[in-house]
Amino acid sequence: MKDTQMEAGLYCNSCKEELPHHVYYINGKIVRVECQECKRTMVFKVDVLKEFYKEVYKRVSTKPNRVSKEYKKDINRFLTGIPIRLVSKPYRLMKDFNESMHTIYCYKKRTARK
């Protein structure tokens, strides 16, 4: 699960002018917009667990296609990389899982305060 943020010039209803705002995303969906001047925040409800499940489903369902493309592109590189990938896969899965859980926890913590 990917959380990102960016800065954008948006009109603030409190300040009555266009000012820089922080826009926070989870998997490409806006979850929060905060004015940098007055700190007014708009929170958008997103079902983060549903987003997590959709991401996992997409990754699992597209894996056979991705593996076959990689296999067809360069079989030697594919076969020589398998041992390393098999050893490192549990670590990569746990890293992704922990990042996703951290994102979910932070989102729930922020929305619980509001």
Side-chain angles (χ1 to χ4, degrees):
M1 187 170 265
K2 187 175 181 181
D3 59 336
T4 55
Q5 62 176 306
M6 64 171 279
E7 191 174 304
L10 300 171
Y11 181 81
C12 179
N13 284 334
S14 295
C15 302
K16 303 292 185 208
E17 61 181 299
E18 188 173 313
L19 295 167
H21 286 67
H22 280 295
V23 182
Y24 300 89
Y25 298 89
I26 292 180
N27 279 0
K29 293 189 177 185
I30 297 175
V31 293
R32 188 165 57 111
V33 179
E34 180 181 324
C35 178
Q36 291 182 15
E37 190 71 26
C38 68
K39 302 299 181 199
R40 181 175 181 209
T41 303
M42 291 178 54
V43 178
F44 300 91
K45 294 286 183 188
V46 173
D47 189 351
V48 288
L49 289 178
K50 184 177 178 181
E51 289 297 315
F52 175 69
Y53 296 141
K54 282 180 12 183
E55 179 183 335
V56 169
Y57 176 78
K58 181 180 177 186
R59 289 178 70 179
V60 169
S61 65
T62 61
K63 188 65 170 180
N65 190 28
R66 290 183 283 137
V67 168
S68 63
K69 280 183 182 178
E70 192 176 338
Y71 173 83
K72 291 174 184 174
K73 185 177 179 182
D74 187 358
I75 191 165
N76 289 334
R77 186 173 180 187
F78 175 78
L79 293 175
T80 57
I82 285 180
I84 295 168
R85 291 167 73 173
L86 287 175
V87 170
S88 68
K89 190 62 168 183
Y91 169 76
R92 290 181 286 140
L93 283 173
M94 282 308 298
K95 182 180 172 193
D96 285 349
F97 178 77
N98 288 336
E99 288 174 359
S100 295
M101 290 300 109
H102 178 73
T103 300
I104 291 168
Y105 172 77
C106 289
Y107 173 77
K108 287 187 173 188
K109 185 178 174 184
R110 275 189 241 126
T111 56
R113 285 189 277 150
K114 302 295 174 189

